[in-house]
Amino acid sequence: MITSDWLHPSLVLIAGTLVLPLLKGRAMQAWMVLLPLAVLGTLWMAQPGEHGQMAFLGMELVTGRVDELAMVFGWVFGTVLLIGAIYALHVNDRVQHVAAFLYGASALGVVFAGDLITLYVFWELMVITSVWLIWRRKTEVSFNAGFRYLVIHAVGGVVLLAGIILFQFETGTTRFEQIDVDGPAFWLILAAFMINAAVPPLHAWLTDAYPEATVTGAVFLSALTTKTAVYTLIRGYPGTEMLVWMGAAMTLYGVTFAMLSNDIRRLLAYHIVSQVGYMVTGVGLGTALALSGSASHAFTHILYKALLFMGAGAVIHMTGRSRLSELGGLYRYMPWTFVLYLIGGVSISAFPLFSGYVSKTMIVEAAAIDQRAVIWLMLVVASAGTFLSTTLKLPYKTWLGGDSGLQPREAPWNMLLAMGIAAALCFLIGIFPGMLYALLPGAVDFNAYTMSVFLKEMQVLLFTGLAFCLLLKYVGGGPKISLDVDWLYRRGGPRLVGAVGSAIITTDRAIRRTTLEHLARLTAHVEKKHGRDGKLAKSWPIGSMALWTAIVLAMLLTVGVYRG
Amino acid sequence: MTITELMPFSVLVPLIASLVCALLPGRFWPWAVTLVAVIVSAVIAAFTLPAAAQVTLSYAFGNWPPPIGIEYRVDAANAFVALLVAGMAAVALPWAKKSVDKEVPERQGAFYALFLLALSGLLGITLSGDAFNIFVFLEISSLATYGLIAHGSDRRALLASFRYLIMGTVGATFLLIGIGFLYIMTGTLNLADLAERLPEVRDTSTVRAALAFIIVGMGLKLAMLPLHLWLPNAYTYAPSFVTVFLAGTATKVALYVMLRFVFTVFAPDWSFVVLPLSTVLMILGVAGMFAGSWVAMFQPNIKRMLAYSSVAQVGYMVLGVSLVSVIGLSAAFLHLFNHALMKTALFMAVGTVIYQVGSARLKDVRGLGRTMPWTLTAFALAGLSIIGVPLTAGFVSKWYLIQAALDQGQWFLVVLILVTSLMAVIYIWRVIEAAWFQERSIKQPDVGEAPLALLIPTWILVALNFYFGIDTRLTVGGATAAAEALLGGGMTP
Amino acid sequence: MRENGILRVVARFLIPLIMLFGLYIQFHGEYSPGGGFQAGIVFAAGWILFALIYGLDAALKVIPERAMYVLMVAGVILYCAVGIAGVVLGGHFLDFYPLLAGKHAAQQFGIITVEFGVGVTVATVVMLVFTLFARRKSEWKAAKVEDE
Amino acid sequence: MKLARLIEYLISKRSVLAVLLLVSMAALVLVDIILPPAYTRFTWDAIGGFAAFFGFAACAALIFFSRFLGEKLLYRDEDYYDDHE
């Protein structure tokens, strides 16, 4: 993985992480900040091209393919690792830090993988490292949620592996370019990518697990898994018609369920689903503008979603509560968190001057250029819904609204610093979108700051706000949870298994009872003849072994002897 | 001395050393003599493989030329298996010292003598080119194995050994009957000679019956699905070291004998036509994969769980054989080798737990992840290999198996292989969950990490699992050469 | 049986003959039917007859158990040593030609030595098996007596 | 806590802010009606203020739809999953 002009950032990160458990206190904190900086440094030095080739099972692995698309994701992953590390500086749990960095390393590995085998290895590594960020919350709920997360991703991994094997078999190569085959290989790989991209109905792992993750872990989780999936979709499935509709449906699904959420991080998690929906739509549209839109939206999304999760995490960290119905009136005590969260909120809602605006409008515009009226309308509804939940409902109920009687202190300095960096980046990208566009593959022929785009966006957002104010008393919420697809495996599956199981057990019992009765009669008969010791009964196991032997032998002999 | 002349000594050295061992008192010397003998044997086997891959080696005992005299005839296939057997013994022995001291405190001379006999028996089976000689060595190794299993500290070990004795004897007798039939028809016992003379007489029911008897006989020793019933108890109640050794070698050698007869002696274009072998083996293999994994998922005893997992892994190998192609056979040989690596590592880890805790039940492993991190991490990593995670040896053999299935357009097999891999995830996970996610109950004694003498060999094997998952030149090369030797009629001069 | 005079007399007369016959089969094995396996059994049979009539303890005084173990191993080692001698002198394992100058003499020497090893081992193993079982019997008896 | 005081000040002036906001919203709609449409890709591109109407309608629809969905179908008590896990 090392050549003279290439040092794999994952390798740097993994090597650095191995040192982490040896350090303590200040040294560990310094190392945690230095590591992401080192990763950014290696990214800076990376030369375009293919590096780190290895032979494996007669296939050529390319561990480092550096092109613009990979670098976009590399840069933002590196950045969010730095932000997340600063945010987590106060945490004194090495397992979490190690897991977070290894998780980041594997996400980088996926992004730079030039072939599907390397991709698969890092893909699986991502699962087994990230799950610790959920488990280390150390509650029963988080353990169960993490376990469900693990199981679903394990299934996804098997699906991916099956797809890769078929792909290799059909095309004779494992290079990761556009997946250009028909048949099961295409669908299996797509399904695996869609599981990680949280496309409904395969999304429930995300909204089930992320709210139960640790405060600092959720920041990494929100940034990495779904976005690597978006990367693989951009690379492998551009222009797949199905994705346009699934993406648009995702956006609406996410905002609708977010409206129902009472847990602040579950609300944000549903907005990940919704926002990734935009990116998936862009991938499905497949035009140069749409793909640029997806990549840049992934970039901006990582930053503002991390900011939102950090804001919500700071509230949970300081108050120990995560339900909207139990929060309120915090602006007096956590004003900085409030303001920084709001910057994230206006970014995700695509207010002009903030980062979401310059990327989301690109995807919406691409849909318009493609003359897809229904898709366009769906996306606009979703953006109204995004503003409604993340920027109006959540902050209103958390910081304004009724006084909950809580008097927490402001979040610690490192949390605020991390949020500040993220907020500054959101603002910077919103003002100088050219910086982001320069990273994208191909020239970007798009300007978000035209009168028409601006007018439409502002009208939608402000009138959404008006509707919110007028209809405030109808806005859903309350101390409830809402069912989602995860019901299928949390309750439906067990119930089904239980029903089928008890049916099987009953039948089995019946069959066995009758068989045993007959057997008992037979043994009784034999016992009469063989006396009290009942040799047949005693040697039953060996007898059954011999019986099987005889059966197999008889089978083979019959066929063999009477065939000729 | 050339390698051809040295080759028989990989069998003879353990054989002679076993005699010495039987007389040695105490605890150190029997082990030391065994170690030396095993290492010598393994080194010879290691040098034999490259030579045998080039040209078939032949060694006539007493200089009586075959087919009259007894001959050792070694091509890539048996050299590969012999290296596996001797190598596994050499890796397992350093681990054995502590574990055997604890589990078999008395009469260790006899114990190690039996072990050496079993080893030389297994090696003799592999190297011999004479059908009757194969039977003799099979009995030597089997009898020694019964004795070894009976050394288990649990009283049930005696019963397990007795049951294995009966079934093993049935198996060996079936082999003998098969060989007898062949001798009646051809008048020779030399394998290469048999292969030459059989075509004249092979359209008789006697020869067909011989094939059936040999397959069932070896199926028994191999623990192929409906004939596997002896294995779980034998593996569970044997001393840990015996399980470690047997899991890696005994069933593999039986598979080799079956392959040798089916492919070289009878020739696949006949044996797979006369009996519906391909179908039968495929069904039994798949059934073994499922039944083994299924039962393993519910076992409360880890050793027993791994034993059932072995039944499943044998299923993979049989499945590879049933595809009757070079790549399928290569997959079988690869899995034969890789399974030895991972099962030995797993049983070593479990044996280490038994050494410390005195039990391998799941509930006794609770919370051990924190107090014995090295042991259980080794278990988890070797478990990855049995699941078939990329970069482990287990992945390589499953990859080839899947390729072989795809090569014949058998899509459903791929699905079945993946499903059973998921079942492996479940049973390995149960151990991990118990070790790391459950609390140790107050009644259970606190234990610390195991001694290095046990940990180092375990970790060497774990490392080998990963090494052979990445550098596949030796395993894939050896397995392919072995498969080609069997399919290409490597025994005919 | 120990008190039965006829048996004691007949046995005293027969045992040397049985053993002599065993030795005959042993050393005439390469010319006529026979060899180490049969000879060992016949020889051991003589000893077992002695043990049956005169008691195990008396028999074990003649050939102690420890000696049986050693002889059992020694027989096989003799066998292997001859085999290895062939290798050392430049032939194959169990190759007798290099042992002596004359071809005929070499074969004869080799086969007789090897068969002797076989005979010793077989005889001692059979005696040992008998001893182990017989001792078990007396142990049971002792246990029974204690119970009563 | 200067920032907190600033927020407090803004909240106290919220009616002024609301008026300002409503005025600017009206201005936005007006400008949209007056300016000729930049595109005619969709029929509604030509309708001035469509986005304002649509945003309002979408928000209202989401609020009512999700409330309906929640109360009729999806809401459960928070301990719904507890007894089984």
Side-chain angles (χ1 to χ4, degrees):
Chain A
M1 291 197 193
I2 306 172
T3 49
S4 57
D5 59 340
W6 164 251
L7 182 60
H8 199 303
S10 302
L11 202 63
V12 175
L13 204 45
I14 290 172
T17 309
L18 293 181
V19 181
L20 199 64
L22 307 176
L23 301 174
K24 265 187 201 165
R26 291 256 174 254
M28 184 177 80
Q29 291 182 337
W31 192 248
M32 279 169 62
V33 177
L34 275 175
L35 259 181
L37 287 175
V39 168
L40 290 172
T42 52
L43 289 172
W44 182 257
M45 290 187 297
Q47 300 290 322
E50 298 199 338
H51 314 279
Q53 283 92 343
M54 298 194 308
F56 177 70
L57 294 182
M59 293 170 288
E60 197 196 35
L61 304 190
V62 179
T63 53
R65 169 185 39 199
V66 182
D67 59 8
E68 280 150 322
L69 182 60
M71 284 304 285
V72 174
F73 283 85
W75 280 117
V76 69
F77 285 173
T79 313
V80 81
L81 279 179
L82 178 65
I83 294 172
I86 295 175
Y87 186 73
L89 275 184
H90 65 280
V91 176
N92 197 14
D93 177 6
R94 285 203 189 81
V95 178
Q96 246 190 82
H97 296 321
V98 169
F101 281 130
L102 290 180
Y103 176 36
S106 30
L108 283 166
V110 169
V111 164
F112 286 108
D115 67 287
L116 289 164
I117 301 290
T118 313
L119 181 135
Y120 175 76
V121 171
F122 283 115
W123 191 268
E124 290 288 350
L125 195 62
M126 212 157 72
V127 176
I128 50 181
T129 49
S130 58
V131 72
W132 293 97
L133 297 177
I134 302 165
W135 279 339
R136 294 306 280 190
R137 190 120 182 257
K138 295 183 181 169
T139 62
E140 174 111 23
V141 179
S142 73
F143 172 72
N144 288 328
F147 190 61
R148 289 193 293 271
Y149 172 92
L150 198 65
V151 169
I152 291 179
H153 282 289
V155 173
V158 173
V159 171
L160 179 61
L161 183 62
I164 291 172
I165 290 168
L166 291 180
F167 181 78
Q168 199 264 350
F169 183 71
E170 296 209 344
T171 63
T173 170
T174 53
R175 282 195 63 80
F176 181 37
E177 303 292 348
Q178 181 163 358
I179 305 294
D180 199 12
V181 287
D182 288 329
F186 181 89
W187 296 109
L188 285 172
I189 298 179
L190 180 60
F193 288 172
M194 290 204 312
I195 288 178
N196 267 28
V199 178
L202 309 173
H203 70 290
W205 59 266
L206 189 154
T207 51
D208 178 20
Y210 283 14
E212 310 303 342
T214 63
V215 165
T216 52
V219 177
F220 295 99
L221 288 168
S222 75
L224 297 177
T225 299
T226 46
K227 257 53 77 185
T228 49
V230 168
Y231 161 81
T232 55
L233 285 173
I234 294 177
R235 177 81 77 185
Y237 290 92
T240 308
E241 179 63 23
M242 188 183 91
L243 292 179
V244 179
W245 291 96
M246 300 203 82
M250 271 173 90
T251 57
L252 288 179
Y253 192 96
V255 293
T256 309
F257 273 82
M259 290 295 296
L260 297 169
S261 305
N262 188 35
D263 185 291
I264 50 179
R265 288 195 299 175
R266 179 157 288 125
L267 187 153
L268 293 175
Y270 274 114
H271 276 287
I272 296 181
V273 174
S274 163
Q275 293 297 306
V276 170
Y278 282 96
M279 300 168 215
V280 172
T281 309
V283 173
L285 290 169
T287 58
L289 182 63
L291 292 176
S292 298
S294 290
S296 53
H297 200 48
F299 192 102
T300 56
H301 174 84
I302 287 175
L303 294 173
Y304 61 65
K305 186 58 78 177
L307 177 52
L308 293 174
F309 263 98
M310 288 192 286
V315 171
I316 296 173
H317 182 63
M318 301 315 294
T319 66
R321 298 185 187 183
S322 64
R323 294 184 182 90
L324 285 178
S325 51
E326 294 174 0
L327 291 165
L330 292 184
Y331 73 92
R332 287 186 202 86
Y333 311 104
M334 301 181 74
W336 284 103
T337 313
F338 177 41
V339 169
L340 291 168
Y341 176 88
L342 271 186
I343 293 178
V346 292
S347 296
I348 193 177
S349 314
F351 259 90
L353 298 186
F354 294 94
S355 61
Y357 179 70
V358 302
S359 55
K360 183 157 85 181
T361 49
M362 217 194 274
I363 297 172
V364 178
E365 188 68 13
I369 289 173
D370 252 23
Q371 293 282 325
R372 291 173 187 266
V374 180
I375 300 291
W376 189 89
L377 288 175
M378 286 166 90
L379 295 184
V380 173
V381 172
S383 76
T386 309
F387 181 54
L388 178 63
S389 312
T390 57
T391 321
L392 296 174
K393 180 181 146 190
L394 194 154
Y396 177 79
K397 293 206 166 184
T398 308
W399 280 278
L400 307 170
D403 198 330
S404 60
L406 293 170
Q407 299 193 348
R409 277 176 297 141
E410 181 60 281
W413 65 269
N414 64 305
M415 284 186 157
L416 291 179
L417 175 63
M419 291 170 72
I421 296 173
L425 284 171
C426 285
F427 190 54
L428 221 63
I429 293 170
I431 299 177
F432 304 111
M435 291 193 332
L436 172 60
Y437 295 165
L439 290 175
L440 297 177
V444 177
D445 177 27
F446 176 74
N447 181 7
Y449 292 102
T450 62
M451 194 50 141
S452 140
V453 175
F454 175 80
L455 271 180
K456 262 188 205 117
E457 190 66 28
M458 286 307 284
Q459 284 182 37
V460 169
L461 292 175
L462 292 180
F463 279 85
T464 302
L466 182 64
F468 174 76
C469 295
L470 295 178
L471 302 172
L472 188 55
K473 61 178 172 183
Y474 298 109
V475 173
K480 295 278 186 184
I481 57 167
S482 48
L483 299 184
D484 199 343
V485 184
D486 55 345
W487 181 85
L488 284 180
Y489 52 82
R490 293 174 73 175
R491 289 302 286 274
R495 270 188 199 166
L496 188 71
V497 171
V500 173
S502 64
I504 290 176
I505 288 170
T506 333
T507 343
D508 172 64
R509 212 173 271 162
I511 291 174
R512 268 192 306 172
R513 198 189 304 124
T514 34
T515 329
L516 278 181
E517 275 168 13
H518 282 100
L519 261 182
R521 225 170 288 158
L522 189 73
T523 6
H525 178 72
V526 173
E527 264 187 7
K528 248 184 226 165
K529 292 206 161 171
H530 288 267
R532 232 161 50 102
D533 275 345
K535 275 180 191 167
L536 211 73
K538 256 185 195 167
S539 57
W540 190 121
I542 290 173
S544 80
M545 287 196 278
L547 186 68
W548 275 112
T549 318
I551 289 171
V552 177
L553 181 70
M555 208 171 67
L556 285 176
L557 276 179
T558 331
V559 177
V561 175
Y562 291 105
R563 205 179 230 204
Chain B
M1 261 172 118
T2 61
I3 190 68
T4 315
E5 283 164 19
L6 260 182
M7 162 199 57
F9 281 86
S10 63
V11 182
L12 292 172
V13 168
L15 190 67
I16 296 167
S18 80
L19 306 170
V20 180
C21 256
L23 291 181
L24 288 174
R27 289 184 170 191
F28 175 75
W29 286 108
W31 175 77
V33 168
T34 309
L35 183 66
V36 172
V38 166
I39 286 175
V40 170
S41 174
V43 168
I44 295 174
F47 280 108
T48 311
L49 178 58
Q54 308 237 321
V55 56
T56 305
L57 310 177
S58 168
Y59 185 93
F61 274 84
N63 232 347
W64 296 96
I68 295 161
I70 290 172
E71 175 194 30
Y72 273 14
R73 196 174 180 85
V74 182
D75 60 13
N78 35 10
F80 188 73
V81 179
L83 175 59
L84 174 76
V85 173
M88 277 303 130
V91 181
L93 252 189
W95 185 87
K97 181 84 184 78
K98 283 252 173 203
S99 174
V100 172
D101 278 351
K102 189 141 183 169
E103 292 181 31
V104 189
E106 280 168 21
R107 291 171 64 88
Q108 285 194 358
F111 180 81
Y112 281 111
L114 283 176
F115 165 74
L116 282 169
L117 272 183
L119 173 66
S120 70
L122 291 175
L123 286 169
I125 297 170
T126 10
L127 296 183
S128 182
D130 182 280
F132 189 75
N133 212 235
I134 286 181
F135 166 74
V136 170
F137 275 117
L138 183 74
E139 281 298 355
I140 291 181
S141 73
S142 300
L143 288 171
T145 309
Y146 308 143
L148 285 174
I149 291 172
H151 272 85
S153 42
D154 194 310
R155 284 177 69 88
R156 281 170 288 187
L158 291 175
L159 185 60
S161 170
F162 178 66
R163 294 172 71 179
Y164 182 26
L165 182 144
I166 291 188
M167 295 324 288
T169 310
V170 170
T173 313
F174 277 18
L175 178 71
L176 186 62
I177 293 174
I179 292 172
F181 282 171
L182 292 182
Y183 185 65
I184 292 171
M185 296 309 290
T186 60
T188 179
L189 286 169
N190 186 287
L191 291 182
D193 209 31
L194 270 175
E196 264 182 43
R197 294 198 201 177
L198 263 180
E200 297 165 21
V201 293
R202 69 187 186 183
D203 285 328
T204 54
S205 13
T206 317
V207 176
R208 292 199 198 101
L211 177 61
F213 270 105
I214 290 171
I215 285 175
V216 176
M218 284 302 97
L220 258 174
K221 299 294 291 185
L222 167 65
M224 196 166 67
L225 179 69
L227 313 176
H228 69 284
L229 294 155
W230 56 267
L231 183 139
N233 276 327
Y235 279 18
T236 310
Y237 299 121
S240 298
F241 167 60
V242 175
T243 313
V244 163
F245 174 66
L246 289 184
T249 54
T251 50
K252 315 292 180 293
V253 171
L255 179 67
Y256 158 77
V257 175
M258 191 200 251
L259 295 182
R260 180 58 89 195
F261 273 100
V262 169
F263 283 91
T264 333
V265 176
F266 290 102
D269 53 353
W270 181 79
S271 49
F272 279 89
V273 174
V274 155
L275 297 181
L277 260 194
S278 198
T279 324
V280 169
L281 290 183
M282 192 179 288
I283 292 172
L284 294 184
V286 169
M289 278 155 55
F290 266 92
S293 309
W294 179 259
V295 179
M297 290 196 303
F298 302 102
Q299 289 308 313
N301 184 318
I302 303 178
K303 241 176 144 181
R304 205 178 175 79
M305 175 194 98
L306 291 178
Y308 276 109
S309 156
S310 281
V311 175
Q313 308 298 323
V314 166
Y316 287 112
M317 293 172 223
V318 172
L319 181 64
V321 174
S322 77
L323 295 169
V324 210
S325 60
V326 171
I327 184 160
L329 262 185
S330 306
F333 269 103
L334 258 180
H335 202 56
L336 187 147
F337 187 89
N338 290 339
H339 174 240
L341 286 181
M342 50 210 187
K343 242 335 138 32
T344 309
L346 285 171
F347 271 122
M348 274 188 183
V350 174
T352 310
V353 170
I354 293 176
Y355 180 82
Q356 290 294 91
V357 185
S359 155
R361 279 173 307 177
L362 262 186
K363 60 176 184 176
D364 292 321
V365 178
R366 276 184 207 158
L368 280 187
R370 279 177 284 274
T371 47
M372 297 176 67
W374 288 99
T375 312
L376 284 149
T377 309
F379 184 91
L381 290 176
L384 289 184
S385 192
I386 218 158
I387 293 165
V389 174
L391 298 188
T392 60
F395 174 74
V396 177
S397 39
K398 276 189 191 162
W399 176 269
Y400 271 85
L401 195 56
I402 287 171
Q403 294 280 325
L406 285 180
D407 213 36
Q408 307 208 334
Q410 312 263 31
W411 300 94
F412 68 99
L413 287 182
V414 178
V415 178
L416 296 179
I417 292 167
L418 291 176
V419 170
T420 48
S421 300
L422 272 184
M423 290 160 88
V425 174
I426 293 175
Y427 60 73
I428 295 295
W429 171 257
R430 288 174 67 235
V431 180
I432 294 175
E433 190 191 0
W436 273 284
F437 294 99
Q438 293 180 352
E439 293 300 326
R440 202 151 182 77
S441 83
I442 309 153
K443 278 180 237 160
Q444 289 163 320
D446 274 328
V447 289
E449 187 53 272
L452 280 179
L454 294 175
L455 281 180
I456 291 172
T458 313
W459 273 91
I460 288 175
L461 266 169
V462 170
L464 281 180
N465 265 301
F466 282 85
Y467 177 77
F468 285 117
I470 295 168
D471 180 5
T472 56
R473 280 170 302 181
L474 174 69
T475 47
V476 174
T480 315
E484 279 166 356
L486 279 185
L487 274 175
M491 295 295 275
T492 41
Chain C
M1 276 180 269
R2 276 166 228 174
E3 287 77 37
N4 192 318
I6 299 173
L7 276 181
R8 291 173 77 104
V9 172
V10 174
R12 188 158 287 214
F13 171 70
L14 267 184
I15 287 169
L17 279 182
I18 292 173
M19 289 192 161
L20 194 64
F21 188 60
L23 290 177
Y24 169 76
I25 294 174
Q26 170 78 55
F27 290 107
H28 215 254
E30 82 274 24
Y31 284 123
S32 59
F37 278 96
Q38 295 84 333
I41 294 288
V42 172
F43 194 84
W47 181 84
I48 289 171
L49 183 59
F50 181 77
L52 286 175
I53 307 288
Y54 292 94
L56 188 62
D57 294 332
L60 282 181
K61 262 181 206 150
V62 183
I63 306 177
E65 197 179 337
R66 184 78 201 155
M68 287 183 204
Y69 277 108
V70 174
L71 283 174
M72 173 178 85
V73 172
V76 188
I77 286 182
L78 179 65
Y79 185 108
C80 292
V82 175
I84 289 174
V87 177
V88 171
L89 295 174
H92 275 191
F93 189 75
L94 285 181
D95 191 352
F96 302 140
Y97 287 124
L99 293 180
L100 289 177
K103 272 191 170 182
H104 200 76
Q107 281 295 338
Q108 211 162 15
F109 171 75
I111 206 85
I112 284 177
T113 327
V114 162
E115 286 294 332
F116 181 65
V118 173
V120 169
T121 301
V122 170
T124 42
V125 166
V126 171
M127 291 177 198
L128 200 56
V129 169
F130 176 83
T131 311
L132 291 176
F133 277 110
R135 177 123 50 60
R136 177 68 38 113
K137 179 94 182 180
S138 59
E139 277 170 16
W140 283 341
K141 262 185 193 160
K144 235 179 191 174
V145 169
E146 271 175 31
D147 281 350
E148 284 162 4
Chain D
M1 280 291 181
K2 278 181 187 155
L3 188 66
R5 229 169 284 149
L6 178 66
I7 297 170
E8 201 124 14
Y9 175 74
L10 286 176
I11 290 173
S12 68
K13 298 282 179 198
R14 60 177 176 270
S15 48
V16 181
L17 286 174
V19 170
L20 273 176
L21 208 61
L22 284 172
V23 169
S24 59
M25 281 155 72
L28 273 174
V29 176
L30 272 179
V31 172
D32 196 30
I33 293 172
I34 294 165
L35 276 184
Y39 311 106
T40 50
R41 292 179 297 214
F42 304 125
T43 41
W44 53 77
D45 277 339
I47 308 169
F50 172 80
F53 162 74
F54 191 73
F56 189 91
C59 179
L62 269 176
I63 290 174
F64 288 115
F65 176 65
S66 64
R67 194 179 169 85
F68 167 78
L69 205 62
E71 287 180 355
K72 291 293 169 203
L73 190 66
L74 297 177
Y75 273 151
R76 293 289 185 278
D77 284 332
E78 287 189 325
D79 54 3
Y80 175 71
Y81 286 120
D82 289 358
D83 46 346
H84 272 255
E85 281 167 7

